[in-house]
Amino acid sequence: MRELVEHLARCHKLDATALGQLLRSAVAEDDVLQLLRDTAVRTARQQFGLGVYVRGLIELSSFCRCDCLYCGLRRSNRTAERYRLSSEEVMECCREGYALGFRTFVLQGGEDGTHTDTWLRELISKIRATYPDVAITLSLGERSEESYKTLKEAGANRYLLRHEAANEELYASLHPSSKGLQHRLDCLAALKRCGYQTGMGMMIGVKGQTIEHIVEDLLLIERMQPEMVGIGPFLPHRATPLGEEPAGELRLTLATIAIVRLMLPHALLPSTTALATLTPRGRLEGILSGANVVMPNLSPTSVRAKYAIYENKASWGKEAAEGIAALNSELETIGYHIDFSRGDYQP
Ligand code: 5AD
């Protein structure tokens, strides 16, 4: 396995067979996982030193037209509490976030039909005019290329749209009544054409996903060369069809993050909230697998519990923007610190 890891670190790619072997072996054997993670950490440190970028996450709306099997915000979940922020509330989040030192705002939300181009354009323009030096990241799902273009021109810089599954059948099984994998990939291509720094990604351990599926995800990521990749464990939400399924495995999640780091040395890789929710040390374990970004929650405290894509989602303490000092102290325990710069992708 040492040869495979060294080859991956040097050439930034492996074939499907080798990726499968490496993932299986990293899950089964401590020394392989350790070697993979240490190599990924070394690569990340060469690019980013001991700094970890922070992004303030503002959850615009818990309304969603989609019906993804795994997600607590799926439209079939009648028990989900729905809310949407006004532009004034979003601007207030930005004001607080800017004062705390955040220089990236991530506007994330369900696919809410009231988020028209006009409404979003005005919001983004206002943020852009008030804070010329911040990066604005959008994470608002599938929209038309025209819409992506309008929002880019209003001042957005980055867009997160996880591909969720590179395998057609797995994608279809998780996303009934969606437009399908090809449409998702078309959206990602449109985002790139519009000039966004683009993010993709997937959950680890969702029902029906095999190691071979993760290999397909990795090969797609390698082919697409995204600027950002979000990877976290699947976590069950009881009011969804996958509510009784087990959570994704920590070791497999960390191995996958480490492989992505070695494939894309310059990529921005978050140590996700899902990882921090799975296990108390999750956020640190992500950093110690090559991740270099954390995304504390900057939503108004009154709505935080309502953005429940999975249960017990961490949004307080070190996961909260106002807990940034505690987050920094936690990072210091492994020798890292928060880097408050915008942290754009630099090839
Ligand atoms: N567990 C973990 N991650 C989830 N997501 C949605 N539902 C869950 C869940 N139950 C992820 C999806 C989505 C992102 C916003 O969160 O990958 O793209």
Side-chain angles (χ1 to χ4, degrees):
M1 286 302 138
R2 179 172 291 277
E3 289 75 49
L4 289 188
V5 175
E6 281 168 8
H7 185 272
L8 181 59
R10 209 173 41 244
C11 308
H12 315 300
K13 64 200 306 181
L14 282 178
D15 64 24
T17 312
L19 284 171
Q21 280 174 345
L22 185 52
L23 280 172
R24 269 181 237 282
S25 160
V27 170
E29 292 168 52
D30 285 342
D31 52 337
V32 175
L33 182 59
Q34 201 57 52
L35 173 69
L36 180 60
R37 295 177 67 198
D38 288 348
T39 310
V41 164
R42 207 172 320 123
T43 298
R45 280 192 200 166
Q46 279 163 12
Q47 309 298 327
F48 308 102
L50 293 166
V52 176
Y53 296 129
V54 283
R55 321 302 197 191
L57 189 59
I58 305 173
E59 295 156 332
L60 296 190
S61 170
S62 66
F63 286 89
C64 192
R65 69 165 76 95
C66 302
D67 217 18
C68 311
L69 251 50
Y70 45 80
C71 184
L73 299 183
R74 66 199 306 266
R75 68 154 186 263
S76 299
N77 181 9
R78 296 286 144 71
T79 64
E81 290 189 72
R82 309 291 175 171
Y83 74 89
R84 76 173 56 88
L85 301 182
S86 65
S87 331
E88 292 71 32
E89 287 173 306
V90 178
M91 291 309 293
E92 179 56 23
C93 294
C94 293
R95 199 185 61 74
E96 283 174 26
Y98 195 89
L100 287 166
F102 288 87
R103 292 299 176 268
T104 294
F105 300 130
V106 182
L107 309 184
Q108 184 163 82
E111 293 196 14
D112 180 336
T114 74
H115 286 163
T116 59
D117 289 352
T118 310
W119 187 81
L120 285 168
R121 187 181 52 209
E122 274 169 29
L123 174 62
I124 293 164
S125 307
K126 210 175 295 170
I127 299 174
R128 175 53 63 229
T130 315
Y131 307 102
D133 57 330
V134 303
I136 302 173
T137 303
L138 305 179
S139 179
L140 301 168
E142 297 186 354
R143 305 178 68 89
S144 68
E145 179 155 5
E146 200 48 42
S147 172
Y148 289 149
K149 188 157 167 273
T150 302
L151 305 183
K152 180 80 176 45
E153 283 165 4
N157 310 96
R158 311 179 186 145
Y159 203 107
L160 307 174
L161 183 66
R162 289 189 178 182
H163 68 282
E164 310 292 358
N167 178 275
E168 192 100 45
E169 288 80 48
L170 180 61
Y171 188 96
S173 78
L174 296 172
H175 308 100
S177 76
S178 80
K179 293 180 176 161
L181 176 60
Q182 190 52 53
H183 186 262
R184 177 61 58 116
L185 299 180
D186 292 344
C187 286
L188 283 165
L191 288 164
K192 282 230 165 180
R193 277 196 296 277
C194 292
Y196 286 94
Q197 295 169 47
T198 303
M200 46 197 298
M202 67 285 179
M203 290 173 284
I204 299 298
V206 70
K207 189 180 185 200
Q209 185 194 54
T210 62
I211 296 275
E212 280 66 41
H213 288 137
I214 299 174
V215 169
E216 287 186 58
D217 290 321
L218 290 169
L219 293 173
L220 177 68
I221 289 167
E222 199 259 315
R223 197 167 73 238
M224 304 264 292
Q225 297 282 310
E227 284 81 14
M228 305 170 281
V229 184
I231 293 172
F234 161 75
L235 298 169
H237 187 301
R238 118 185 61 210
T240 68
L242 304 188
E244 304 298 319
E245 301 297 324
E249 259 183 279
L250 178 64
R251 294 173 64 99
L252 186 54
T253 306
L254 299 178
T256 307
I257 292 171
I259 291 176
V260 171
R261 167 55 67 212
L262 294 175
M263 282 183 159
L264 305 174
H266 308 277
L268 300 158
L269 304 186
S271 186
T272 52
T273 304
L275 199 45
T277 303
L278 180 69
T279 173
R281 270 186 61 89
R283 192 181 10 250
L284 296 181
E285 303 293 357
I287 304 291
L288 295 175
S289 305
N292 72 316
V293 174
V294 288
M295 300 169 70
N297 197 305
L298 196 50
S299 303
T301 51
S302 59
V303 305
R304 261 181 219 175
K306 298 182 188 165
Y307 199 84
I309 53 180
Y310 44 81
E311 280 163 300
N312 308 313
K313 178 163 143 285
S315 63
W316 305 100
K318 291 164 231 153
E319 277 301 314
E322 65 277 12
I324 193 89
L327 173 62
N328 195 53
S329 305
E330 181 182 56
L331 293 174
E332 281 174 350
T333 65
I334 56 168
Y336 285 74
H337 58 267
I338 290 174
D339 179 339
F340 278 102
S341 65
R342 252 177 73 138
D344 281 293
Y345 181 80
Q346 276 161 338

